[in-house]
Amino acid sequence: MSVDILVVAEQRDGVLNRSTLEAVVAGQELGKQLGKEVALVALGKGISSLAEELTSKGVKEVLTVDDDKLSDYTPDGYAGALQQVIAAENPAYVLFSHTYTVRDYAPKLAMKLERPLVSDCVRYKMDGNALVFVRQVFQGKIDADFTFEGDGPHLVSFQVGAFNADNLETSGAAGAVRNLSLSMDNVEIRTKVLDVFEGVKQEVDLSKADRIVSVGRGVKKSENIEMMKDLAAALGAEMGASRPVCDDGWLPLDRQVGSSGQTVAPKLYFAVGISGAIQHIVGMKNSGTIVAINKDPHAPIFDIADYGIVADLFEVIPEVISALKES
Amino acid sequence: MKIIVCMKQVPVQDSLLKITDDSRWVQEAELNYEINESDHYALETALLLKEEHGGEVVILTMGPRRVKEAIKQGLAKGADRALHINNESFTTLDIFINAKLLAAAIQQEEADLVLTGLQTDDYGFGQTGVILAEKLGLPHASIVMEILKQDGSIKVKREMESGWFQSVELPLPALLTIQSGISQIRYATIKGIMMAKKKEIKELSLSDLGLAEGDVDDSTSSLKFHKLYVPEKTKQAELLEGDPKDVAAQLVHKLKNEAKVF
C-alpha cells in the first residue's frame, strides 16, 4: 500500500500539537481537489495510544515509526526517519504545519531528498490544472505564487492558522494503524537533548483579559510606554506587547502576545505601533474588536483590524485618553 | 574558534514596496537596504564568542555590489574579514542553489562554527541555514537563544513554541541559526570604522568557488516561482480620518455605539 498525501504529525510526550489537525484539514481539502487520500505519520517512542487517537482524525491510514532514537525530538532523528518513510511510501505531497520544530528539520529533509520545500504557505489555489501554493514575502506585505513541476514528493508547510482545525472531517471510517518497521541503525543522532523546559513562568494570564492595549516597535523607546499605560488605565485594559518590545525589556516577557508568547482573545484589542507580523497576529486574531493605530498605511495589522487610524500615535493617543475620560 | 557569519542585505523595514511590471520582484531603485535583522544578532553572537574565546569572525554574504555597505558595517563592529559572493549575474530564488554557493565558500574556510540568522525579512523562507548545515554535513540547531562553548562541543538553548525551550549539546563544527533579540546589538565605534578600512573583503566568483554556470542554472528546479502581488484583502479596517482630536472622538463613539465594548 502506498500513500497519496502524507501529513506529518507533531507530538511532544504523546500529546498531539493542535496545528497537526490544521495540516490534516489542508490535506483533506487538497485530497478532494485531486481525488487523493490522506494519511498521517507519527514519529516517537511509545506512541501507540497517540496513533490510536489519530485514527479518528479523518485519515485513511496512520503510519507510525516507533524507535528509541525518536524518543526526544532531534533534527537528525526526524529527518532520517522521514526520509525513509517517504522513500518507501512515495507520496505525491508531504504536508507539515509550519511550527518551530518543522522549521528545524523540514529543510534538512528537503535537502536529503533533494526536493524543494515551499515553506510557510498561507493557502493554495487552482489555476487551471495547476496547483498554486501561496506564501508571503516581505513580512506579510506581498504574496508570492509557487507551483511544483514534475512528479512528487512535493513538500509543503502551511502557516499555523492558515487552515481551521474545526473544519476537520471525521465522518468517514476510522483509519488503520500501520507500524513501519524501518531501521534507524544508520541514522546517527549528533544532537544530545539535555532538557525540555518551560521558560519564564507566566505571571500574567492575558488570555482572561477583557481588554488589552498591546504596544509594538512603533512606540520607539522605553519612556513612551508610560503614555500607553495611561491609555490602558483609561480603558481598564491589561498591557500586552509584540516581541521586539519584550526583547528590548520595555515590558516584561510575560506580556508578550504571539506565537512565542500568549494567545489572547479579548473583547477589545488595541494594537498601538504594531505592524502586524504573522507571529503577532496568530496570538490575537480572534479578538472581538480590534483597533489599530500605526503610521504605515500598508501595515498588515489594518487587514485584520475593525477600526484603523493612520497617524502619528504620539499625537493620537493623548486625544484618545482624554476622549475616554470625558465619556 | 573560527566563526563564519552569513549575512544578507534586505530592504529596510517599513519600505514602501512597489512590485515591478513583470511581477517578478520589487522596484529596487528607490529602496534603501539594511542588514537583515536576525543576521545582526548572528554577528553579535559571533563577536561575543570571539571576545570570550578568541579566534576569528568571518562575514559571508551574497548579493550585488551594494552589499559591500553591509559588509563594512560588520567589519566596523569587529569582524575580521569578509567574503562576498557577487551574484549579480545569477540571482535566484532557488534555495538549493543559494545554499550550494554559500557552502562552497564555507568549505574553503574550515570553520568551527557557522552562524546564520533565523530567516530573512525579504523572502522569509527560513530554510537556508538548515539546508546549508545538511549540505556541509554539520549538525545544527535553529532558533537559538543562548550558546555556551565547551571543549569540542557547544550547549545551546533553542526556542520552541509557547514559551518552551530545548537545551541541546552539539559537537563542533556545527551550524546555528540565531533568533532576533537574544543580545544587545553593538554600534560600530569610530575606531572600528577606521580599522575596517584595512580589513580584507574578498570577492568570490563562480570559478573561485569551484562552480560553473550550470551549477547556478535554476531552469530545471522543480519549484517554480510565478509572481508577486499585493494580497487580496479579506477584510479592511474602517479607517478613521481627521485631526487627532477628531479621530479620537470618532473612535470612542464607535467603540461605544457600534462595537459596544463599553
Side-chain angles (χ1 to χ4, degrees), chain A residues 10 12 17 72-76 98-101 103-108 110-112 114-120 123 125 132 134-150 154 160 190-200 202 211 217 235 243-244 247-248 256 259-261 267-268 270 275 279 289-291 293 295-298 301-310 315-316 319-320 322-324 326-327, chain B residues 10-19 25-26 31 37 41 93 95-96 99 118-128 130-135 137-143 145 155-171 179-184 219 221-241 244-249 251-252 254-256 258-262:
Chain A
E10 182 166 329
R12 191 167 70 225
N17 188 317
D72 282 314
Y73 163 75
T74 62
D76 284 336
H98 193 68
T99 62
Y100 283 23
T101 301
R103 284 154 75 146
D104 193 54
Y105 74 80
K108 179 182 174 73
M111 188 68 243
K112 278 179 177 294
E114 296 193 40
R115 307 294 310 184
L117 161 71
V118 51
S119 50
D120 207 12
R123 61 181 180 275
K125 59 189 179 187
V132 181
V134 185
R135 64 184 308 282
Q136 298 173 318
V137 294
F138 292 104
Q139 302 180 296
K141 288 186 198 166
I142 291 178
D143 282 357
D145 283 356
F146 290 86
T147 58
F148 289 105
E149 261 176 26
H154 301 311
V160 174
R190 294 168 294 181
T191 305
K192 194 159 121 199
V193 178
L194 305 172
D195 196 9
V196 178
F197 58 98
E198 197 170 6
V200 223
Q202 307 284 352
R211 297 173 192 170
R217 218 191 272 272
L235 283 164
R243 179 162 192 147
D247 280 346
D248 285 341
Q256 189 173 311
S259 55
S260 45
K267 290 201 183 86
L268 176 65
F270 242 81
S275 66
Q279 292 81 357
T289 298
I290 299 171
V291 177
I293 304 177
K295 71 174 188 335
D296 176 7
H298 301 283
I301 192 76
F302 289 120
D303 300 344
I304 64 153
D306 298 281
Y307 302 112
I309 298 174
V310 179
E315 288 176 10
V316 172
E319 295 296 342
V320 174
S322 58
L324 283 166
E326 278 165 30
S327 72
Chain B
V10 296
V12 296
Q13 285 190 20
D14 304 333
S15 292
L16 206 54
L17 300 168
K18 289 183 201 144
I19 295 168
W25 195 228
V26 291
L31 289 179
E37 186 178 22
Y41 289 93
L93 272 172
I95 306 170
F96 291 154
L118 168 69
Q119 67 179 43
T120 54
D121 297 332
D122 53 3
Y123 307 147
F125 286 111
Q127 296 189 45
T128 305
V130 175
I131 285 179
L132 199 51
E134 178 64 19
K135 232 179 156 57
L138 299 179
H140 80 269
S142 68
I143 325 185
M145 306 287 295
K155 235 166 97 171
V156 309
K157 175 174 142 187
R158 53 179 301 269
E159 187 177 344
M160 299 164 89
E161 263 128 354
S162 317
W164 282 76
F165 297 91
Q166 194 189 36
S167 167
V168 297
E169 190 178 319
L170 302 166
Q179 172 68 287
S180 287
I182 71 166
S183 52
Q184 206 62 259
S219 62
S221 166
S222 61
L223 185 62
K224 297 287 177 209
F225 161 64
H226 293 276
K227 59 172 181 177
L228 296 180
Y229 51 96
V230 176
E232 303 139 27
K233 309 256 179 218
T234 46
K235 180 179 164 186
Q236 171 68 44
E238 179 184 344
L239 294 180
L240 310 180
E241 283 164 10
K245 200 177 172 67
D246 195 32
V247 290
L251 178 64
V252 173
K254 282 178 184 292
L255 289 177
K256 223 179 197 170
E258 273 180 24
K260 299 193 195 306
V261 289
F262 303 127

Side-chain angles (χ1 to χ4, degrees), chain A residues 50-233:
Chain A
L50 173 73
E52 207 47 52
E53 177 193 335
L54 294 177
T55 57
S56 66
K57 304 300 181 194
V59 294
K60 187 182 161 205
E61 271 195 303
V62 176
L63 312 181
T64 60
V65 184
D66 207 307
D67 195 283
D68 285 336
K69 285 187 174 173
L70 298 170
S71 59
D72 282 314
Y73 163 75
T74 62
D76 284 336
Y78 269 50
L82 285 171
Q83 181 184 17
Q84 294 185 63
V85 172
I86 290 165
E89 304 294 326
N90 196 27
Y93 290 92
V94 183
L95 308 183
F96 310 84
S97 176
H98 193 68
T99 62
Y100 283 23
T101 301
V102 165
R103 284 154 75 146
D104 193 54
Y105 74 80
K108 179 182 174 73
L109 174 66
M111 188 68 243
K112 278 179 177 294
L113 296 165
E114 296 193 40
R115 307 294 310 184
L117 161 71
V118 51
S119 50
D120 207 12
C121 291
V122 289
R123 61 181 180 275
Y124 72 84
K125 59 189 179 187
M126 297 300 290
D127 182 8
N129 284 327
L131 195 50
V132 181
F133 293 94
V134 185
R135 64 184 308 282
Q136 298 173 318
V137 294
F138 292 104
Q139 302 180 296
K141 288 186 198 166
I142 291 178
D143 282 357
D145 283 356
F146 290 86
T147 58
F148 289 105
E149 261 176 26
D151 294 332
H154 301 311
L155 277 51
V156 184
S157 70
F158 286 106
Q159 197 168 84
V160 174
F163 288 82
N164 187 343
D166 294 338
N167 295 339
L168 189 72
E169 276 197 28
T170 53
S171 54
V177 176
R178 180 152 58 98
N179 188 26
L180 303 176
S181 50
L182 50 88
S183 166
M184 292 288 286
D185 288 352
N186 292 326
V187 177
E188 189 201 349
I189 311 288
R190 294 168 294 181
T191 305
K192 194 159 121 199
V193 178
L194 305 172
D195 196 9
V196 178
F197 58 98
E198 197 170 6
V200 223
K201 268 272 161 271
Q202 307 284 352
E203 293 193 356
V204 189
D205 185 0
L206 291 177
S207 68
K208 297 204 169 63
D210 258 356
R211 297 173 192 170
I212 294 174
V213 169
S214 253
V215 297
R217 218 191 272 272
V219 302
K220 293 209 173 77
K221 52 184 178 185
S222 157
E223 295 80 67
N224 295 332
I225 295 288
E226 275 317 304
M227 186 194 286
M228 309 308 145
K229 285 186 176 162
D230 292 344
L231 173 64

